[in-house]
Amino acid sequence: MTSRNRSTRVSILSALIGATLAVPAAFAGQVDTAGIQSDGSYARLVVKYRDSARLRTAAADRVAETIAGAAARAGIAGGVARGGAALPLSASRLRATASQADVVRLSRALDANQTQALLRQIAADPSVEFVQVDRRLTHTRLPDVRPMLVPNDNYYQQYQWHLHDAIGGIGAESAWETSTGEGVVVAVLDTGITAHPDMDANMLEGYDFITDAFVSRRDSDERVPGAADLGDWNPVANECYAGSPVTDSSWHGTHTAGTVAELTDNATGMAGVAHDAKVLPVRVLGRCGGYTSDIADAIVWASGGEVDGVPTNASPAEVINMSLGGGGACDTLTQDAINGAVSRGTVVVVAAGNQGQDAANHSPASCANVINVGATGITGIKAYYSNYGNLVDLSAPGGGVTDGNPDGYVWQAINSGATVPEDPTYGGMAGTSMAAPHVAGIVALIQSAVEVPKTPAEIEAILKESARAFASAPSQPMGAGIVDAPAALALALDGGGEEPCEPGEPGCEEEPPIDSTPITSGQVVTGLSGVAGTEGLYRIEVPAGMRNLNVLTYGGTGDVSVYVSRGSEPGADEHDWASTRPGTNETVRVANPEAGVYYVKVVGESLYARVNLQARYN
């Protein structure tokens, strides 16, 4: 049996699918098919050229020519004229993204097979760097879960279990003794924000990044200051996709922003995790969701990067929360935007998704350089709907585990309007959308408390190392455990998450290894023998970038157990991993091991002889 008491760092890799093209590989563009569903239709693409050479040809003409030629080679028509003749597929350029890719609209929507054929032909142009669909993402709350109550008192104790419950909550009250998030900006990329007396004082102006009037419900495709949520209701069935239902507005952005920084200790309504932080609302979702190209630009802008046509963000965010997602692996445009945000020091928190599937098949949950959050409930166990897998970093309260009101929901500020905004109120939702802003709020608490801001990598390490165990071990991987606000703060203030210094740097002293026998990867140590209680301690140094570390014993007779820890001597009572099966065949597997020294202890449970030990990384 293999067990694990503490988490290790998970290295997240995005899946990018390359196409085989009839041009030399050095000149073939990348075809990114992330987000293309077999039953979907697509009318918007993103094309990036290798040069900035709009110098040679006007951008609109260039991209129109590229797509028209690609469609002709793929045999894709744009429609049928009155006389029965086939019309060519055409495209119009909408704008450039922050990464200088072109967003284009096709003259008609294509099915999945036609779309992939067109992408392959576009990528065959040697001047194209990459091409992908501009897919739509949606928020990640459960549908039709939004009970309301009329505000007339302080609802914190009765409703907000997710902040204070000893089993399912995040321990907010203890954390608030140390930090309330003052001085930190958290960007919430969502449906925008509605006016609310329990929210307004902590809301910055923000920006509306939606460039499609149908989606935004504004009177133009232009981006505008402010992030007012005009409603994301759908009055017509099948309006968004085949089978899409009629729905009321969600007011999702107000709810997630409330979790981050709702006003607290004001004798009104409810509380927020980092209630002295400021929220920068960025509207990227509206009717039928939001386009990848708009979301990617919003990530760049929120983190302090430059976006054409939008004023520089005067309040760059230390944290970005994205409670949104869609099917398919992380795409190039989104990954580039996230990488840029992280390079500017911004922590990016995302929801794992609500499909009960592996998060590797959803975006932005499968993107690298994010903190990917699954959902638990008041009982401290996995929510039935939460996505899971090795890409989930840790979990947080999302509701939906315990039936009943209020324990089945996460409660925050909301709006009472069925379609357009009406009166402010409070309501419960459930989903990984609700889990992610708990983590974003805790990041704000940490960054406010420390003297020098932690890097995104340090924050991730702190959150995972300080997470507490699930009340019952989930059947699928759900990350390091449940996020714990006071434990994360304590670890951060104690120097947790600091990257090790390099020997020889000023002030850096290399600690001597614990007295142990060094072994190398693949080396077999033979002839281990002893009586019950005999111990042998070995160490192996694992370099960065390894996918696996496997430690095993085999052969001989008797009974042994194996304990493994990174950086410290393991034992039966304290270890990171262990294998304690009867006999001599023990196996410990460490996925994506952090670089460092791993100590292996072999303990005799009874008389044993001629046992072999091997540790191998790859």
Side-chain angles (χ1 to χ4, degrees), residues 24 197 230 288 309 462 585:
L230 304 181
C288 300
I462 288 167
N585 294 327

Side-chain angles (χ1 to χ4, degrees), residues 4 7-13 349-362 364-368 370-376 382-383 385-396 432 435-436 439 460 463-464 467 470 474 476-483 591-592:
R4 180 175 179 180
S7 64
T8 58
R9 185 77 171 271
V10 176
S11 175
I12 306 175
L13 299 177
V349 179
V350 304
N354 300 336
Q355 293 75 29
Q357 301 172 359
D358 193 325
N361 300 318
H362 298 268
S366 60
C367 294
V370 300
I371 298 176
N372 182 3
V373 185
T376 52
K382 175 186 179 295
Y385 55 80
S386 180
N387 285 352
Y388 53 83
N390 292 329
L391 298 189
V392 176
D393 293 302
L394 75 167
S395 297
T432 55
V439 173
E460 181 179 342
L463 293 174
K464 291 161 75 170
F470 299 100
Q476 301 103 350
M478 285 286 288
I482 301 173
V483 68
N592 303 300

